[in-house]
């Protein structure tokens, strides 16, 4: 199943909706994410901030952890929208994407019409991942 324009537009639309649910009393910077799993399920996430700051969770990881905890471990595509002009996923989120979506498509969008498409490999080249640990097993 390839990613088509309908999937891309739907993911961006869902990410924009999720962004409005961001809980960001400290940064006031809203981010939304929507992902499609390999088995065709859609999950959304927003960033959630906490007054002691470090427990803050990015929108992408909220969406990914929702998918994993519901039993969907393979990410096919994820769209990210934020309050800046093309909000790119942070380094930590890229590593989490690597864990569950080595070949995932990343859509960085301003709107349904204005978006950029990447493969995870472009955003996190020469990455470390689960396979590295495999070579260390007895
Ligand atoms: N943020 C995300 O949700 N995703 C990113 O990839 C970048 C940063 C959030 C975290 C925090 O709530 C706010 O944006 C400002 O850093």
């Amino acid at each position: 199943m390839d990613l088509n324009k309908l999937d891309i537009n739907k993911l961006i639309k869902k990410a924009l909706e999720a962004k409005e649910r961001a809980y960001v009393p400290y940064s006031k910077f809203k981010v939304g994410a929507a992902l499609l799993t390999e088995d065709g399920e859609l999950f959304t996430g927003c960033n959630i901030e906490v007054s002691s700051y470090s427990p803050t969770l990015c929108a992408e990881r909220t969406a990914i952890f929702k998918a994993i905890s519901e039993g969907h471990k393979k990410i096919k595509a994820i769209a990210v929208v934020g309050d800046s002009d093309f909000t790119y996923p942070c380094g930590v989120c890229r590593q989490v994407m690597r864990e569950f979506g080595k070949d995932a498509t990343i859509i960085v969008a301003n709107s349904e019409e204005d978006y950029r498409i990447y493969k995870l490999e472009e955003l996190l080249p020469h990455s470390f991942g689960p396979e590295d640990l495999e070579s260390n097993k007895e």
Side-chain angles (χ1 to χ4, degrees):
M1 179 170 74
D2 271 322
L3 198 68
N4 58 39
K5 189 132 194 337
L6 267 179
D7 292 326
I8 293 169
N9 286 348
K10 182 162 188 193
L11 284 173
I12 296 172
K13 186 171 184 285
K14 289 285 179 187
L16 286 165
E17 286 170 13
K19 177 174 167 261
E20 290 317 306
R21 297 190 287 273
Y23 176 75
V24 289
Y26 310 107
S27 74
K28 316 262 195 255
F29 188 87
K30 292 181 177 177
V31 185
L35 67 81
L36 188 63
T37 62
E38 288 286 357
D39 54 359
E41 295 290 322
L42 198 147
F43 292 88
T44 62
C46 60
N47 53 334
I48 302 166
E49 298 180 346
V50 176
S51 56
S52 58
Y53 295 166
S54 61
T56 291
L57 194 59
C58 290
E60 299 91 317
R61 276 176 289 149
T62 303
I64 292 168
F65 294 157
K66 280 169 70 179
I68 302 311
S69 63
E70 294 299 323
H72 303 274
K73 289 202 199 68
K74 288 201 168 145
I75 298 165
K76 181 177 171 172
I78 180 164
V80 185
V81 299
D83 276 341
S84 56
D85 187 32
F86 293 110
T87 303
Y88 282 77
C90 78
V92 172
C93 288
R94 291 179 199 205
Q95 188 67 43
V96 175
M97 290 173 190
R98 166 66 176 82
E99 188 77 19
F100 302 106
K102 190 176 192 302
D103 302 316
T105 299
I106 318 297
I107 304 154
V108 182
N110 282 336
S111 69
E112 278 181 71
E113 295 77 38
D114 189 18
Y115 58 84
R116 297 171 182 167
I117 297 209
Y118 302 89
K119 295 304 283 185
L120 179 63
E121 170 70 25
E122 295 177 79
L123 298 185
L124 193 70
H126 308 292
S127 63
F128 182 86
E131 303 78 12
D132 290 284
L133 296 181
E134 288 295 319
S135 62
N136 205 20
K137 282 195 181 137
E138 298 280 309

